[in-house]
Structures are given as structure tokens and as C-alpha cells.
Amino acid sequence: MSDCNEIITKIYNHPDINSLISKIHPESLRDDLRQEIAITLLEQPCDRIASLFAENNLIRYAIRTCWIMATSKRSEFYRKYRAKDLTEVVQM
């Protein structure tokens, strides 16, 4: 399990993930999104994470997951965070 935690830590701090997250607006959602990606990866079976990492596909998987979370109105992240922010903007 500690191997998977180390792998997820590498993904959490990966430059490609940082680049994608830096494009998310509002800026206040960036840390929440990064944490949600980590939680999503931690919920996956360790052998799947290790396999994706060994095949050099884990970054792509994390980026795709991040993008879907941030943009899809069906994602839990969007409903939980983005919809709330959009509602607050409309009320201002």
C-alpha cells in the first residue's frame, strides 16, 4: 500500500497536473480539485494504480479524471463545488 501512496504523491505534485489545475477558474477551486483527484486515486485498487503507473498511463488517467471533474456537470465535484460557486456569482 505504501507504494501506491508514493505513486499518488508523485501524481499529486506532477507538473502536468499542476499545469492543468492552474487553468481552472475560479482559483479557489484548485486545491479542492487537487484533493479530489488524490481521493479518487486512493479509492482505486492498489494493483490498478501500480499497473497504470507501470504502463506510464497514470498521468493521463489523472488528467482525464481532473478534466471531467472540473467540467462535467454530471461529476460529483462539479455539483459539489462548481454549482455552488456559480450560484454565488449569480447572487452577487
Side-chain angles (χ1 to χ4, degrees):
M1 182 65 158
S2 64
D3 291 338
C4 285
N5 290 341
E6 290 174 21
I7 292 170
I8 292 170
T9 300
K10 288 179 184 180
I11 299 301
Y12 189 85
N13 296 313
H14 195 277
D16 292 344
I17 297 294
N18 290 336
S19 175
L20 176 61
I21 289 177
S22 71
K23 296 174 185 173
I24 302 300
H25 293 285
E27 188 175 336
S28 62
L29 293 179
R30 293 176 185 167
D31 286 334
D32 295 326
L33 183 58
R34 182 183 307 280
Q35 291 171 16
E36 290 291 327
I37 293 168
I39 290 169
T40 300
L41 293 175
L42 288 167
E43 290 174 342
Q44 300 298 317
C46 187
D47 57 340
R48 180 168 188 223
I49 295 295
S51 174
L52 285 169
F53 185 73
E55 296 168 357
N56 207 21
N57 288 324
L58 189 55
I59 292 295
R60 279 181 253 161
Y61 175 81
I63 288 172
R64 182 173 178 265
T65 301
C66 176
W67 190 251
I68 290 170
M69 284 180 173
T71 60
S72 174
K73 292 181 181 179
R74 293 182 178 178
S75 77
E76 184 176 332
F77 177 84
Y78 189 92
R79 289 191 309 260
K80 186 175 181 181
Y81 295 101
R82 297 294 300 251
K84 179 183 172 200
D85 282 347
L86 293 174
T87 302
E88 289 175 2
V89 169
V90 170
Q91 290 175 354
M92 292 179 139

